[in-house]
Amino acid sequence: MAGSDLSALPEGAAEDLAAQVGSSLQGSDDGTGLRVGVAAARFNGGITVRLLAGALDALAEAGTDRRDVTLAWVPGAFELPLAARAFAGAGRVDTVLCLGAVIRGETGHYDFVAGQCAAGIQRVQLETGVPVVFGVLTVDTLEQALARSLPDETNKGREAARTGIEMVRLLRSPALS
């Protein structure tokens, strides 16, 4: 059994726990009518394109109209938070997906870029209230990036799109809105 299998939420656990509390909230996977901004990094763009393909597939499967998706390319992962802030601040999207890859090299550059990218994305969503999803791979090797961007259910771009949809629906639930 893989480590991720051991740490995953067991089947039925959320429902079982919901019966033990007064109210339990979960977002749905319905992307119908949602407007999505996607900020995509050109640096390590071969990986970003694979993440983007996964995200677009997941959005389509959830019912999001492709005409409601706006894509903005930025130079690299470090610039993703600023593009996310522009999307969120304009008020024309319901969620922002930030996609890219930071691959560790032989210098300390990785630590600065990955950490600041993550912190910036988190700051944008906390300041704006718009779900901004960290779909940035932070890996040691190209092989790890390729493995996390395969054209299947394990694609982290696909996961980012699903997370964005779920968070919009959760935040719009009557108990939180």
Side-chain angles (χ1 to χ4, degrees):
M1 183 178 268
S4 62
D5 294 337
L6 294 172
S7 66
L9 183 66
E11 181 95 20
E15 293 78 13
D16 292 345
L17 292 168
Q20 299 176 39
V21 297
S23 182
S24 177
L25 307 173
Q26 267 185 232
S28 78
D29 60 0
D30 180 12
T32 306
L34 295 186
R35 300 161 304 156
V36 180
V38 180
R42 282 194 312 268
F43 194 82
N44 291 321
I47 301 299
T48 303
V49 167
R50 293 163 56 114
L51 295 170
L52 182 56
L56 294 175
D57 286 349
L59 291 170
E61 291 164 9
T64 303
D65 190 317
R66 67 178 178 83
R67 293 170 295 189
D68 290 329
V69 178
T70 303
L71 173 62
W73 288 95
V74 300
F78 197 77
E79 292 76 29
L80 288 170
L82 184 58
R85 178 69 176 95
F87 270 128
R92 290 188 284 258
V93 298
D94 300 300
T95 186
V96 181
L97 313 178
C98 295
L99 305 176
V102 182
I103 302 172
R104 188 178 301 278
E106 295 179 8
T107 68
H109 188 247
Y110 167 92
D111 297 312
F112 295 109
V113 173
Q116 290 303 309
C117 175
I121 289 170
Q122 175 72 336
R123 192 166 37 256
V124 171
Q125 75 172 349
L126 292 175
E127 289 174 358
T128 66
V130 173
V132 180
V133 183
F134 185 75
V136 179
L137 301 180
T138 54
V139 295
D140 290 322
T141 66
L142 175 60
E143 291 74 24
Q144 290 172 336
L146 292 169
R148 288 163 177 77
S149 61
L150 291 170
D152 62 18
E153 290 298 313
T154 66
N155 183 294
K156 295 302 180 182
R158 174 180 288 279
E159 183 180 300
R162 289 179 177 157
T163 298
I165 292 167
E166 182 178 345
M167 286 304 298
V168 170
R169 296 302 184 202
L170 174 69
L171 293 174
R172 289 184 179 172
S173 64
L176 297 179
S177 57

